[in-house]
Amino acid sequence: MDKKISANMERHLETAPDLSDIFETAFECAARVDKQGKYLSVNKPFADLYGYSPDEMIDLDWRNNIHVDDIEMVKQAYTVMLEQGRANVELRGIRKDGTTFYKDILMFKSFHDETSLLSHYCFIQDITDKKLSEKDKLSACNEIESLNIAAQTNCDSPDEDYFVSVAR
């Protein structure tokens, strides 16, 4: 996620006791999640990304919106957030209709007081196009590498007809 957004968010988290106004307007896709993993509030772009209305997402468990193979990654990121105050992870999300997309999640913890975690803020960016482009580039590189290996193999052991035709 953009380092400038991250720095600005940290500054707001340190200085603003109530982020509801900032939360609703400053970030494209934003949510607040309680310590049990239920959405407390989501803005419209966040809900739209998942194919829900904001009201439908309230009390929905975040695990419903994460690809099953990526649950452990987000749990690890959550642990980092608890220890360091924030965490960032790229993984796959699941929409209401079951389709998958790639997302970058930035999480910040929020305290009720100095010691007790009340909730955390979650900011999401859809990175599907970026991930698909990376996959296309990787496929192209792998294909080129395969062609290079095949060409090198052919150069290392030219067939006998080549030598006969060159010798004539």
Side-chain angles (χ1 to χ4, degrees):
M1 184 138 322
D2 189 303
K3 290 186 189 299
K4 184 177 177 182
I5 291 173
S6 179
N8 287 340
M9 187 61 206
E10 280 188 75
R11 189 176 67 252
H12 286 299
L13 286 172
E14 291 171 0
T15 60
D18 179 15
L19 297 177
S20 57
D21 292 337
I22 295 168
F23 172 79
E24 285 297 322
T25 58
F27 299 95
E28 180 76 24
C29 299
R32 193 164 57 100
V33 182
D34 70 15
K35 61 184 176 181
Q36 287 77 35
K38 307 280 185 184
Y39 292 111
L40 295 171
S41 60
V42 301
N43 66 6
K44 184 164 175 18
F46 187 97
D48 288 346
L49 181 61
Y50 288 102
Y52 291 92
S53 71
D55 289 339
E56 286 179 295
M57 292 199 78
I58 303 306
D59 289 328
L60 187 67
D61 192 294
W62 64 263
R63 290 167 200 87
N64 294 333
N65 302 114
I66 305 290
H67 191 282
V68 67
D69 294 340
D70 295 346
I71 294 288
E72 284 308 311
M73 281 193 325
V74 78
K75 285 181 179 179
Q76 290 171 2
Y78 184 81
T79 300
V80 169
M81 180 203 62
L82 292 176
E83 293 170 356
Q84 299 177 11
R86 71 176 189 166
N88 187 244
V89 65
E90 291 182 1
L91 48 86
R92 291 166 292 176
I94 304 290
R95 292 187 177 96
K96 183 179 180 180
D97 65 7
T99 58
T100 302
F101 66 101
Y102 291 92
K103 61 185 179 177
D104 184 0
I105 301 176
L106 178 62
M107 296 181 284
F108 286 92
K109 64 183 174 181
S110 170
F111 290 98
H112 177 65
D113 57 34
E114 293 289 320
T115 59
S116 62
L117 179 70
L118 177 63
S119 62
H120 72 274
Y121 294 94
C122 180
F123 305 97
I124 294 179
Q125 186 174 30
D126 185 344
I127 58 168
T128 303
D129 291 341
K130 173 187 157 194
K131 284 295 191 180
L132 293 177
S133 176
E134 287 172 4
K135 282 186 174 189
D136 287 346
K137 287 177 187 175
L138 183 60
S139 291
C141 287
N142 288 339
E143 187 174 333
I144 290 169
E145 185 176 335
S146 295
L147 291 172
N148 284 338
I149 290 170
Q152 187 176 24
T153 301
N154 288 337
C155 289
D156 290 344
S157 58
D159 64 17
E160 292 177 18
D161 291 338
Y162 172 78
F163 289 116
V164 171
S165 66
V166 170
R168 290 186 187 167

